Every structure is written in C-alpha cells, then in structure tokens.
Amino acid sequence: QVQLVESGGGLVQPGGSLRLSCAASGLTFSFYDMSWYRQAPGKERELVAAIPSAGGSTNYADSVKGRFTISRDNAKNTVYLQMYSLKPEDTAVYYCNARHMRIAAFNYFGQGTQVTVSS
C-alpha cells in the first residue's frame, strides 16, 4: 500500500521559513516523479514544485520561484520543500504527490500538511 506522509507544516510569520518533508513507502521511490501541490481555501489545487525521478531539473510555479526549493533523497524515500520568505498568500494545505515516470495510473497524494503564514 502506497503511503505519502507529509510533515513540517505549521504557523509562521511573514518572511519566515519552513521545510516540508514527505516520506514515501510502498513504492519504488526512484521510479516516481515527485511534486508538491497546495490548495488554499476556496481555490483549486495548484502545482507548486516538481522534481523528476532521478533528481536534476526542477520546475516551480511562478509565484514561488526564487523562494522555494524542492529536493529529494532517494536513499531515504523522501522529498522536501524548503520555503523561504513566506507570504500570507502561501497559506494553504500542502500535498505531496508521487507519479510513476511511465505509468500514469500510478499517481498518489498524501493527506496534506497545513501551512499558515500570519502575523
């Protein structure tokens, strides 16, 4: 059974930093492209950052470029999202996503972790 467990969310002041982690189990982690999505109240879920199965080239939403960094450790089956210079508009539930690099049906989300940016 595939499990993606996010951690590291919380309440932070504007300008602060947080590091999210997503621990994966039940899958061959190195075969999966990993992403972070977020969903704010009343808004659709949006892609924040993505990293391919072998690492390397990453992609970011324009709204987080230069502030967020996605990385992965295939030895630990974990993907990270380092967030700097947080803004109130970054407030959302952040979800980890695993998508098999060849089989589209193998696509999984975690339960999410709340990030709240507020003074």
Side-chain angles (χ1 to χ4, degrees):
Q1 181 178 357
V2 174
Q3 283 194 314
L4 302 174
V5 180
E6 300 99 334
S7 61
L11 173 64
V12 62
Q13 292 187 343
S17 302
L18 280 175
R19 187 196 197 201
L20 306 183
S21 300
C22 171
S25 61
L27 50 73
T28 304
F29 188 71
S30 60
F31 289 176
Y32 283 76
D33 300 329
M34 300 299 296
S35 302
W36 287 94
Y37 286 75
R38 68 185 181 186
Q39 188 166 19
K43 295 188 177 181
E44 293 187 355
R45 189 174 296 189
E46 63 171 346
L47 178 64
V48 175
I51 186 167
S53 56
S57 179
T58 54
N59 289 296
Y60 298 92
D62 287 343
S63 58
V64 306
K65 281 181 181 176
R67 299 188 298 121
F68 291 10
T69 301
I70 187 171
S71 61
R72 65 189 292 159
D73 185 338
N74 284 1
K76 295 182 178 180
N77 286 8
T78 301
V79 62
Y80 306 96
L81 186 67
Q82 179 68 57
M83 305 185 292
Y84 295 105
S85 302
L86 283 161
K87 305 175 181 180
E89 52 264 43
D90 294 318
T91 296
V93 178
Y94 283 70
Y95 297 92
C96 176
N97 170 257
R99 185 181 69 253
H100 195 280
M101 60 185 183
R102 293 191 179 93
I103 306 171
F106 292 178
N107 187 26
Y108 308 99
F109 282 91
Q111 82 289 348
T113 186
Q114 176 71 46
V115 172
T116 302
V117 185
S118 175
S119 54

